[in-house]
Amino acid sequence: MDTNGIVAETTDTKGLLIVISGPSGAGKGTICQELLKQDPGLALSVSATTRKQGPQEVYGREYYFYTENAFQKTIDEDGFLEWAEVHGHRYGTLKDKVREIRESGKDCILEIDVQGGLQIAQKMDTSCVLLFVKAPSEEELLKRITGRQRESREEIKRRMMTAQWEMTQEEKYHYTIVNDHLADAVEHILEIIREERKANASTIHR
Ligand code: 5GP
């Protein structure tokens, strides 16, 4: 990871970098879709991944689906702002995508796992906002992961174990959002973003 790269990334450009992480099943994906619908000043940075493309997924919309070789090449060329192995596959935030969004004047959302969020937290400056999204309880999280019928029993077990570790990292984030009711969670985040924009604007103009 190139520290200089991320510092340049976060200080040379205007838009906020908004990291949304939290355990799988907490509802990050749905929340992000709602945020994008409700606030035209936001854009999502589409990540690269080595995991297989799902039947409903479109290259460049959900992810850029990379081969292991292409992913490794991007690491070697220092093309990722952060990357991590999540549930057995590699995922990474593409520096170019983030730069494009922030240079366009929009605020950039990263929907990434906790390992990635922590990498950004270590190198952040004032224009990074770290949001931790969680389900109201462990039981509810399990219900949500089981309910979407996407993962096998083994995979559910693995995701719940990862979630337990992720929950121990919550305090390293700036804000926690409990996703009990979607509309409330989205409104809470929009409010945070409005406040952070004001703070970011006063930093830039200082
Ligand atoms: P899924 O394969 O279910 O779409 O995503 C699995 C996990 O990978 C989710 O927790 C998602 O937030 C995370 N993820 C997606 N993109 C990135 C990324 O660029 N970096 C990191 N660190 N995690 C990511």
Side-chain angles (χ1 to χ4, degrees), residues 47-54 57-67:
S47 296
T49 182
T50 58
R51 90 147 158 74
K52 241 180 94 197
Q53 182 170 353
E57 291 179 323
V58 176
Y59 181 90
R61 188 181 67 189
E62 279 79 12
Y63 289 104
Y64 295 100
F65 295 94
Y66 276 24
T67 59

Side-chain angles (χ1 to χ4, degrees), residues 1-2 6 47-50 68 71-72 74-76 78-86 89-94 112-120 123:
M1 175 69 63
D2 168 18
I6 193 164
S47 296
T49 182
T50 58
E68 288 291 346
F71 199 96
Q72 188 56 48
T74 310
I75 295 174
D76 296 341
D78 196 24
F80 289 122
L81 203 50
E82 63 72 36
W83 69 270
E85 187 167 320
V86 190
H89 304 285
R90 295 197 284 181
Y91 295 79
T93 302
L94 292 158
I112 61 178
D113 91 312
V114 173
Q115 301 172 77
L118 294 181
Q119 287 180 44
I120 290 193
K123 293 154 186 164

Side-chain angles (χ1 to χ4, degrees), residues 112-150:
I112 61 178
D113 91 312
V114 173
Q115 301 172 77
L118 294 181
Q119 287 180 44
I120 290 193
Q122 277 178 355
K123 293 154 186 164
M124 66 180 188
D125 71 1
T126 51
S127 58
C128 292
V129 190
L130 300 157
L131 306 176
F132 190 91
V133 174
K134 65 179 187 182
S137 65
E138 210 172 299
E139 293 72 41
E140 178 61 26
L141 186 69
L142 180 61
K143 222 167 92 187
R144 289 183 192 176
I145 297 182
T146 317
R148 62 189 183 188
Q149 298 186 326
R150 218 170 63 179

Side-chain angles (χ1 to χ4, degrees), residues 10 14 45 52 124 138 141 153 160 167 196 204:
T10 54
K14 274 199 224 149
S45 167
K52 241 180 94 197
M124 66 180 188
E138 210 172 299
L141 186 69
R153 275 172 73 151
M160 287 306 290
M167 293 300 290
E196 292 289 339
I204 287 168

